[in-house]
Coordinates of all heavy atoms in Angstrom, one line a residue:
H166 N -57.3 -2.4 3.6 CA -57.1 -1.3 4.5 C -55.8 -0.5 4.1 O -55.4 0.4 4.8 CB -56.9 -1.8 5.9 CG -58.1 -2.5 6.4 ND1 -59.3 -1.8 6.8 CD2 -58.4 -3.8 6.6 CE1 -60.2 -2.7 7.2 NE2 -59.7 -3.9 7.1
W167 N -55.2 -0.8 3.0 CA -54.1 -0.1 2.5 C -54.4 1.4 2.3 O -55.5 1.7 1.7 CB -53.5 -0.7 1.3 CG -52.8 -2.0 1.5 CD1 -52.9 -2.8 2.6 CD2 -52.1 -2.8 0.5 NE1 -52.2 -4.0 2.4 CE2 -51.7 -4.0 1.2 CE3 -51.7 -2.5 -0.8 CZ2 -50.9 -4.9 0.5 CZ3 -50.9 -3.5 -1.4 CH2 -50.6 -4.7 -0.8
N168 N -53.5 2.3 2.7 CA -53.7 3.7 2.5 C -53.3 4.1 1.1 O -52.1 4.1 0.8 CB -52.9 4.5 3.5 CG -53.3 6.0 3.5 OD1 -53.2 6.6 2.5 ND2 -53.6 6.5 4.7
Q169 N -54.2 4.4 0.2 CA -53.9 4.7 -1.2 C -53.1 6.0 -1.3 O -52.2 6.1 -2.2 CB -55.2 4.8 -2.0 CG -56.1 3.6 -1.9 CD -55.5 2.4 -2.5 OE1 -54.8 2.5 -3.5 NE2 -55.7 1.2 -1.8
A170 N -53.4 7.0 -0.5 CA -52.7 8.3 -0.6 C -51.2 8.0 -0.2 O -50.3 8.6 -0.9 CB -53.3 9.3 0.3
S171 N -51.0 7.3 0.8 CA -49.6 7.0 1.3 C -48.8 6.2 0.2 O -47.7 6.5 -0.1 CB -49.6 6.2 2.6 OG -48.4 5.9 3.0
M172 N -49.5 5.3 -0.5 CA -48.8 4.5 -1.5 C -48.5 5.3 -2.7 O -47.4 5.2 -3.3 CB -49.7 3.3 -1.9 CG -49.9 2.3 -0.8 SD -51.1 1.0 -1.2 CE -50.4 0.3 -2.7
A173 N -49.4 6.3 -3.1 CA -49.1 7.1 -4.2 C -47.9 8.0 -3.9 O -47.1 8.3 -4.8 CB -50.4 8.0 -4.5
I174 N -47.8 8.6 -2.7 CA -46.7 9.5 -2.4 C -45.4 8.7 -2.4 O -44.4 9.2 -2.9 CB -46.9 10.1 -1.0 CG1 -48.1 11.0 -1.0 CG2 -45.7 10.8 -0.5 CD1 -48.5 11.5 0.3
A175 N -45.4 7.5 -1.9 CA -44.2 6.7 -1.9 C -43.8 6.3 -3.3 O -42.6 6.4 -3.6 CB -44.4 5.4 -1.1
A176 N -44.7 5.9 -4.1 CA -44.4 5.6 -5.5 C -43.8 6.8 -6.3 O -42.8 6.7 -7.0 CB -45.7 5.1 -6.2
A177 N -44.4 8.0 -6.1 CA -43.9 9.2 -6.7 C -42.5 9.5 -6.2 O -41.6 9.9 -7.0 CB -44.9 10.3 -6.5
S178 N -42.3 9.4 -4.9 CA -41.0 9.7 -4.4 C -39.9 8.8 -4.9 O -38.8 9.2 -5.2 CB -41.1 9.6 -2.8 OG -42.0 10.5 -2.3
L179 N -40.3 7.5 -4.9 CA -39.3 6.5 -5.4 C -39.0 6.7 -6.8 O -37.8 6.6 -7.2 CB -39.9 5.1 -5.2 CG -38.9 3.9 -5.3 CD1 -37.8 4.0 -4.3 CD2 -39.7 2.6 -5.0
G180 N -40.0 7.0 -7.7 CA -39.7 7.3 -9.1 C -38.8 8.5 -9.3 O -37.9 8.5 -10.1
L181 N -39.1 9.5 -8.5 CA -38.3 10.7 -8.6 C -36.8 10.5 -8.1 O -35.9 11.0 -8.7 CB -38.9 11.8 -7.7 CG -38.3 13.2 -7.9 CD1 -38.4 13.7 -9.3 CD2 -39.1 14.2 -7.0
L182 N -36.6 9.7 -7.1 CA -35.3 9.4 -6.6 C -34.5 8.7 -7.6 O -33.3 9.0 -7.8 CB -35.4 8.5 -5.3 CG -35.8 9.3 -4.0 CD1 -36.1 8.3 -2.9 CD2 -34.7 10.2 -3.6
F183 N -35.1 7.7 -8.3 CA -34.3 6.9 -9.3 C -34.1 7.9 -10.5 O -33.0 7.7 -11.2 CB -35.2 5.7 -9.8 CG -35.0 4.5 -8.9 CD1 -36.1 4.1 -8.1 CD2 -33.8 3.8 -8.8 CE1 -35.9 3.0 -7.3 CE2 -33.7 2.7 -8.0 CZ -34.8 2.3 -7.2
L184 N -34.9 8.8 -10.8 CA -34.7 9.8 -11.9 C -33.6 10.8 -11.5 O -32.7 11.0 -12.4 CB -36.0 10.5 -12.2 CG -35.9 11.6 -13.3 CD1 -35.7 10.9 -14.6 CD2 -37.2 12.3 -13.4
L185 N -33.6 11.3 -10.3 CA -32.6 12.3 -9.9 C -31.2 11.7 -9.7 O -30.2 12.4 -9.8 CB -33.1 13.0 -8.6 CG -34.3 13.9 -8.8 CD1 -34.7 14.4 -7.4 CD2 -34.0 15.1 -9.7
E186 N -31.1 10.4 -9.4 CA -29.8 9.8 -9.2 C -28.9 9.9 -10.5 O -27.7 9.7 -10.4 CB -29.9 8.4 -8.7 CG -30.3 7.4 -9.7 CD -30.3 5.9 -9.2 OE1 -30.0 5.8 -8.0 OE2 -30.7 5.0 -9.9
R187 N -29.6 10.1 -11.6 CA -28.8 10.2 -12.9 C -28.1 11.5 -13.0 O -27.3 11.7 -13.8 CB -29.7 9.9 -14.1 CG -30.4 8.6 -14.1 CD -31.3 8.4 -15.3 NE -31.9 7.1 -15.3 CZ -32.7 6.6 -16.3 NH1 -32.9 7.4 -17.4 NH2 -33.3 5.5 -16.2
I188 N -28.6 12.5 -12.2 CA -28.0 13.8 -12.3 C -27.0 14.0 -11.1 O -27.5 14.1 -9.9 CB -29.1 14.9 -12.2 CG1 -30.1 14.7 -13.3 CG2 -28.4 16.3 -12.4 CD1 -31.3 15.7 -13.3
R189 N -25.8 13.9 -11.3 CA -24.8 13.8 -10.3 C -24.8 14.9 -9.2 O -24.7 14.7 -8.0 CB -23.4 13.7 -10.9 CG -22.2 13.7 -9.9 CD -20.9 13.6 -10.6 NE -19.8 13.6 -9.7 CZ -18.5 13.5 -10.0 NH1 -18.2 13.5 -11.3 NH2 -17.6 13.6 -9.1
L190 N -25.0 16.1 -9.6 CA -24.9 17.3 -8.7 C -26.1 17.6 -7.9 O -26.1 18.5 -7.1 CB -24.4 18.5 -9.5 CG -23.0 18.4 -10.2 CD1 -22.7 19.7 -10.9 CD2 -21.9 18.1 -9.2
L191 N -27.2 16.9 -8.2 CA -28.5 17.2 -7.5 C -28.6 16.3 -6.3 O -28.6 15.0 -6.5 CB -29.7 17.1 -8.5 CG -29.9 18.2 -9.5 CD1 -31.1 17.9 -10.3 CD2 -30.0 19.5 -8.8
P192 N -28.9 16.8 -5.1 CA -29.1 15.9 -3.9 C -30.6 15.4 -4.0 O -31.5 16.0 -3.5 CB -28.9 16.9 -2.8 CG -29.2 18.2 -3.3 CD -28.8 18.2 -4.8
G193 N -30.7 14.2 -4.6 CA -32.1 13.7 -4.8 C -32.9 13.6 -3.5 O -34.1 13.9 -3.4
G194 N -32.2 13.1 -2.4 CA -32.9 12.9 -1.2 C -33.5 14.2 -0.6 O -34.6 14.3 -0.1
V195 N -32.6 15.3 -0.7 CA -33.1 16.6 -0.1 C -34.3 17.1 -0.9 O -35.2 17.6 -0.4 CB -31.9 17.6 -0.1 CG1 -32.4 18.9 0.3 CG2 -30.8 17.1 0.8
I196 N -34.2 17.0 -2.3 CA -35.2 17.5 -3.1 C -36.5 16.8 -2.9 O -37.6 17.4 -2.7 CB -34.8 17.3 -4.6 CG1 -33.7 18.3 -4.9 CG2 -36.0 17.6 -5.5 CD1 -33.1 18.1 -6.3
V197 N -36.5 15.5 -2.7 CA -37.7 14.7 -2.4 C -38.3 15.1 -1.0 O -39.5 15.2 -0.9 CB -37.4 13.2 -2.5 CG1 -38.6 12.3 -2.0 CG2 -37.1 12.8 -3.9
L198 N -37.4 15.3 -0.1 CA -37.9 15.7 1.3 C -38.6 17.0 1.2 O -39.6 17.2 1.8 CB -36.7 15.8 2.2 CG -36.1 14.5 2.8 CD1 -35.0 14.8 3.8 CD2 -37.2 13.6 3.5
L199 N -38.0 18.0 0.5 CA -38.6 19.3 0.4 C -39.9 19.2 -0.3 O -40.9 19.9 0.1 CB -37.6 20.3 -0.4 CG -36.3 20.6 0.3 CD1 -35.4 21.5 -0.6 CD2 -36.6 21.4 1.6
L200 N -40.0 18.4 -1.4 CA -41.3 18.3 -2.1 C -42.3 17.6 -1.1 O -43.5 17.9 -1.2 CB -41.1 17.5 -3.3 CG -40.3 18.2 -4.5 CD1 -40.1 17.2 -5.6 CD2 -41.0 19.4 -4.9
G201 N -41.8 16.7 -0.3 CA -42.7 16.0 0.6 C -43.3 17.0 1.7 O -44.5 16.9 2.0
I202 N -42.4 17.9 2.1 CA -42.9 18.9 3.1 C -43.9 19.8 2.5 O -45.0 20.2 3.1 CB -41.7 19.7 3.6 CG1 -40.7 18.8 4.5 CG2 -42.1 20.9 4.5 CD1 -39.4 19.5 4.8
V203 N -43.6 20.3 1.2 CA -44.6 21.1 0.5 C -45.9 20.4 0.3 O -47.0 21.0 0.6 CB -44.0 21.6 -0.8 CG1 -45.0 22.3 -1.7 CG2 -42.8 22.5 -0.6
A204 N -45.9 19.1 -0.1 CA -47.1 18.4 -0.3 C -47.9 18.2 1.0 O -49.1 18.2 1.0 CB -46.8 17.0 -0.9
S205 N -47.1 18.0 2.1 CA -47.8 17.8 3.4 C -48.6 19.0 3.8 O -49.7 18.9 4.3 CB -46.7 17.5 4.5 OG -47.3 17.4 5.7
Q206 N -48.1 20.2 3.5 CA -48.8 21.4 3.9 C -49.9 21.8 2.8 O -51.0 22.1 3.2 CB -47.8 22.6 3.9 CG -46.9 22.6 5.2 CD -47.8 22.9 6.4 OE1 -48.4 22.0 7.0 NE2 -47.7 24.2 6.9
W207 N -49.5 21.7 1.6 CA -50.4 22.1 0.5 C -51.6 21.2 0.3 O -52.7 21.6 0.2 CB -49.6 22.2 -0.8 CG -50.4 22.7 -2.0 CD1 -51.3 23.7 -2.0 CD2 -50.4 22.2 -3.3 NE1 -51.8 23.9 -3.2 CE2 -51.3 23.0 -4.1 CE3 -49.7 21.2 -3.9 CZ2 -51.5 22.7 -5.4 CZ3 -49.9 21.0 -5.3 CH2 -50.8 21.7 -6.0
L208 N -51.4 19.9 0.5 CA -52.4 18.9 0.3 C -53.1 18.4 1.6 O -54.0 17.6 1.5 CB -51.9 17.7 -0.5 CG -51.3 17.9 -1.9 CD1 -50.7 16.7 -2.5 CD2 -52.4 18.5 -2.8
N209 N -52.5 18.9 2.7 CA -53.0 18.5 4.0 C -53.1 16.9 4.1 O -54.1 16.3 4.3 CB -54.5 19.0 4.2 CG -54.9 18.8 5.7 OD1 -54.1 18.6 6.6 ND2 -56.2 18.9 5.9
L210 N -51.9 16.3 3.9 CA -51.8 14.9 3.9 C -52.3 14.1 5.1 O -52.9 13.1 5.0 CB -50.4 14.5 3.6 CG -49.8 14.9 2.2 CD1 -48.4 14.4 2.1 CD2 -50.7 14.3 1.1
P211 N -52.1 14.7 6.3 CA -52.7 14.0 7.5 C -54.2 13.7 7.4 O -54.7 12.8 8.0 CB -52.3 14.9 8.7 CG -51.1 15.7 8.2 CD -51.3 15.9 6.7
A212 N -54.9 14.6 6.7 CA -56.3 14.4 6.5 C -56.6 13.1 5.8 O -57.7 12.6 5.9 CB -57.0 15.6 5.8
Y213 N -55.7 12.6 5.0 CA -55.8 11.4 4.2 C -55.2 10.2 4.9 O -55.0 9.1 4.3 CB -55.2 11.6 2.8 CG -55.9 12.6 2.0 CD1 -55.4 13.9 2.0 CD2 -57.1 12.4 1.2 CE1 -56.1 14.9 1.2 CE2 -57.7 13.3 0.5 CZ -57.2 14.6 0.5 OH -57.8 15.6 -0.3
G214 N -54.8 10.4 6.2 CA -54.3 9.3 6.9 C -52.8 9.0 6.7 O -52.2 8.0 7.1
V215 N -52.1 10.0 6.1 CA -50.7 9.9 5.8 C -49.9 10.3 7.1 O -50.1 11.5 7.6 CB -50.2 10.7 4.6 CG1 -48.7 10.6 4.4 CG2 -51.0 10.3 3.4
K216 N -49.0 9.5 7.6 CA -48.3 9.8 8.8 C -47.1 10.7 8.5 O -46.5 10.6 7.5 CB -47.8 8.5 9.5 CG -48.9 7.6 9.9 CD -48.4 6.3 10.5 CE -49.5 5.3 10.9 NZ -48.9 4.1 11.5
L217 N -46.8 11.6 9.5 CA -45.7 12.5 9.3 C -44.6 12.1 10.4 O -44.9 11.4 11.3 CB -46.2 14.0 9.6 CG -47.3 14.5 8.7 CD1 -47.6 15.9 9.0 CD2 -47.0 14.3 7.2
V218 N -43.4 12.7 10.2 CA -42.3 12.4 11.1 C -42.7 12.9 12.5 O -42.5 12.2 13.5 CB -41.1 13.1 10.7 CG1 -40.0 13.1 11.7 CG2 -40.5 12.4 9.4
G219 N -43.3 14.0 12.6 CA -43.7 14.5 13.9 C -42.6 15.3 14.6 O -41.5 15.5 14.1
T220 N -42.9 15.7 15.8 CA -42.0 16.6 16.6 C -40.7 15.9 16.9 O -40.7 14.8 17.3 CB -42.7 17.0 17.9 OG1 -43.9 17.7 17.6 CG2 -41.8 18.0 18.7
I221 N -39.6 16.7 16.7 CA -38.3 16.1 17.0 C -37.7 16.9 18.2 O -37.6 18.2 18.1 CB -37.3 16.3 15.8 CG1 -37.9 15.5 14.6 CG2 -36.0 15.8 16.1 CD1 -37.1 15.7 13.3
E222 N -37.4 16.2 19.2 CA -36.9 16.9 20.4 C -35.3 16.9 20.4 O -34.7 15.9 20.7 CB -37.4 16.2 21.7 CG -38.9 16.3 21.8 CD -39.4 15.5 23.0 OE1 -38.6 14.9 23.7 OE2 -40.6 15.5 23.2
M223 N -34.7 18.0 20.0 CA -33.3 18.0 19.8 C -32.7 19.0 20.9 O -31.8 19.7 20.6 CB -32.9 18.5 18.4 CG -33.2 17.5 17.3 SD -32.1 16.1 17.4 CE -30.5 16.8 17.0
G224 N -33.2 18.9 22.1 CA -32.6 19.8 23.1 C -31.2 19.4 23.4 O -30.6 18.4 22.9
L225 N -30.6 20.1 24.4 CA -29.2 19.8 24.7 C -29.2 18.5 25.6 O -29.3 18.5 26.8 CB -28.6 21.0 25.6 CG -28.4 22.3 24.8 CD1 -27.9 23.4 25.7 CD2 -27.4 22.1 23.7
A226 N -29.1 17.4 24.8 CA -29.1 16.1 25.5 C -27.8 15.9 26.3 O -26.7 16.3 25.9 CB -29.2 15.0 24.4
T227 N -27.9 15.2 27.4 CA -26.7 14.9 28.2 C -26.4 13.4 28.1 O -27.4 12.6 28.1 CB -26.9 15.3 29.6 OG1 -28.1 14.7 30.1 CG2 -27.0 16.8 29.8
P228 N -25.2 13.0 28.0 CA -24.9 11.6 28.0 C -25.3 10.9 29.2 O -25.2 11.4 30.3 CB -23.4 11.5 27.8 CG -22.9 12.9 28.2 CD -24.0 13.8 28.0
S229 N -25.8 9.7 29.1 CA -26.3 9.0 30.3 C -26.2 7.5 30.1 O -26.3 7.0 28.9 CB -27.8 9.3 30.6 OG -28.6 9.0 29.5
L230 N -26.0 6.7 31.1 CA -25.9 5.3 31.1 C -27.3 4.7 31.3 O -28.0 5.1 32.2 CB -25.0 4.7 32.2 CG -23.5 4.9 31.9 CD1 -22.7 4.5 33.2 CD2 -23.0 4.1 30.7
P231 N -27.8 3.7 30.5 CA -29.1 3.1 30.7 C -29.1 2.4 32.1 O -28.1 1.7 32.5 CB -29.2 2.1 29.6 CG -28.2 2.6 28.6 CD -27.1 3.2 29.3
Q232 N -30.2 2.4 32.7 CA -30.4 1.7 34.0 C -30.9 0.3 33.7 O -32.1 0.1 33.5 CB -31.4 2.5 34.9 CG -30.9 3.9 35.2 CD -29.6 4.0 36.0 OE1 -29.4 3.2 36.9 NE2 -28.7 4.8 35.6
L233 N -30.0 -0.6 33.7 CA -30.3 -2.0 33.4 C -29.7 -2.9 34.4 O -28.7 -2.6 35.1 CB -29.8 -2.4 32.0 CG -30.3 -1.6 30.8 CD1 -29.5 -1.8 29.5 CD2 -31.8 -1.9 30.6
T234 N -30.3 -4.1 34.5 CA -29.8 -5.1 35.5 C -28.6 -5.8 34.8 O -28.3 -5.7 33.6 CB -30.8 -6.2 35.8 OG1 -31.2 -6.9 34.6 CG2 -32.1 -5.5 36.3
N235 N -27.8 -6.6 35.6 CA -26.7 -7.3 35.1 C -27.1 -8.4 34.1 O -26.4 -8.6 33.1 CB -26.0 -8.0 36.3 CG -25.3 -7.1 37.2 OD1 -24.9 -5.9 36.8 ND2 -25.0 -7.5 38.4
A236 N -28.3 -9.0 34.3 CA -28.8 -10.0 33.3 C -29.1 -9.3 32.0 O -28.8 -9.9 30.9 CB -30.0 -10.7 33.9
E237 N -29.7 -8.1 32.1 CA -30.0 -7.4 30.8 C -28.7 -6.9 30.1 O -28.7 -7.0 28.8 CB -30.9 -6.2 31.2 CG -32.3 -6.6 31.6 CD -33.1 -5.4 32.2 OE1 -32.5 -4.5 32.6 OE2 -34.3 -5.5 32.2
W238 N -27.7 -6.5 30.8 CA -26.5 -6.1 30.2 C -25.8 -7.4 29.5 O -25.3 -7.3 28.4 CB -25.5 -5.6 31.2 CG -25.7 -4.1 31.5 CD1 -26.1 -3.6 32.7 CD2 -25.6 -3.0 30.7 NE1 -26.2 -2.2 32.7 CE2 -25.9 -1.8 31.4 CE3 -25.2 -2.8 29.3 CZ2 -25.8 -0.6 30.9 CZ3 -25.1 -1.6 28.8 CH2 -25.5 -0.4 29.5
L239 N -25.9 -8.5 30.2 CA -25.4 -9.7 29.6 C -26.1 -10.1 28.3 O -25.5 -10.5 27.3 CB -25.5 -10.9 30.6 CG -24.9 -12.2 30.2 CD1 -23.4 -12.1 29.9 CD2 -25.1 -13.3 31.3
Q240 N -27.4 -10.0 28.3 CA -28.2 -10.3 27.1 C -27.8 -9.3 26.0 O -27.7 -9.7 24.8 CB -29.7 -10.1 27.5 CG -30.6 -10.6 26.4 CD -32.1 -10.5 26.8 OE1 -32.4 -9.9 27.8 NE2 -33.0 -11.1 26.0
L241 N -27.6 -8.1 26.3 CA -27.2 -7.1 25.3 C -25.8 -7.4 24.8 O -25.6 -7.2 23.6 CB -27.2 -5.7 25.9 CG -28.5 -5.0 26.3 CD1 -28.3 -3.7 26.9 CD2 -29.3 -4.8 25.0
G242 N -25.0 -8.0 25.6 CA -23.6 -8.4 25.2 C -23.7 -9.5 24.1 O -22.9 -9.5 23.1
E243 N -24.6 -10.4 24.3 CA -24.7 -11.5 23.3 C -25.2 -11.0 22.0 O -24.7 -11.4 20.9 CB -25.7 -12.6 23.9 CG -25.3 -13.3 25.2 CD -26.4 -14.1 25.8 OE1 -27.5 -14.1 25.3 OE2 -26.1 -14.8 26.8
I244 N -26.2 -10.1 22.0 CA -26.7 -9.6 20.7 C -25.7 -8.6 20.2 O -25.6 -8.5 18.9 CB -28.1 -8.9 21.0 CG1 -29.1 -10.0 21.5 CG2 -28.6 -8.3 19.7 CD1 -30.4 -9.4 21.8
G245 N -25.0 -7.8 21.1 CA -24.1 -6.8 20.6 C -22.9 -7.5 19.8 O -22.4 -6.9 18.9
L246 N -22.6 -8.7 20.1 CA -21.5 -9.4 19.4 C -21.9 -9.6 17.9 O -21.1 -9.3 17.0 CB -21.3 -10.8 20.1 CG -20.1 -11.5 19.5 CD1 -18.8 -10.7 19.8 CD2 -20.0 -12.9 20.2
G247 N -23.2 -10.0 17.7 CA -23.7 -10.1 16.4 C -23.7 -8.8 15.7 O -23.4 -8.7 14.5
M248 N -24.2 -7.8 16.4 CA -24.3 -6.4 15.8 C -22.9 -5.9 15.4 O -22.7 -5.4 14.3 CB -24.9 -5.5 16.8 CG -24.9 -4.0 16.4 SD -26.3 -3.7 15.3 CE -27.6 -3.5 16.5
A249 N -21.9 -6.2 16.3 CA -20.5 -5.8 16.0 C -20.0 -6.5 14.7 O -19.3 -5.9 13.9 CB -19.6 -6.0 17.2
F250 N -20.3 -7.8 14.6 CA -19.8 -8.5 13.4 C -20.4 -7.9 12.1 O -19.7 -7.7 11.2 CB -20.3 -10.0 13.5 CG -19.2 -10.9 14.1 CD1 -19.4 -11.5 15.3 CD2 -18.0 -11.1 13.4 CE1 -18.4 -12.4 15.8 CE2 -17.0 -12.0 13.9 CZ -17.2 -12.6 15.1

Side-chain angles (χ1 to χ4, degrees):
H166 300 285
W167 290 9
N168 189 306
Q169 302 299 320
S171 180
M172 293 173 60
I174 292 171
S178 301
L179 194 58
L181 188 57
L182 285 167
F183 279 109
L184 180 64
L185 291 174
E186 74 176 358
R187 300 183 180 183
I188 307 174
R189 177 179 176 181
L190 298 178
L191 286 180
V195 173
I196 292 174
V197 170
L198 283 184
L199 292 175
L200 291 176
I202 293 171
V203 172
S205 176
Q206 285 290 83
W207 184 41
L208 301 176
N209 192 18
L210 294 180
Y213 297 93
V215 178
K216 297 178 181 178
L217 306 181
V218 169
T220 304
I221 302 177
E222 298 178 0
M223 290 291 294
L225 292 175
T227 56
S229 60
L230 287 173
Q232 299 300 314
L233 299 170
T234 65
N235 291 336
E237 288 168 338
W238 280 114
L239 182 62
Q240 189 178 10
L241 289 176
E243 296 171 355
I244 299 176
L246 188 61
M248 177 78 79
F250 264 115

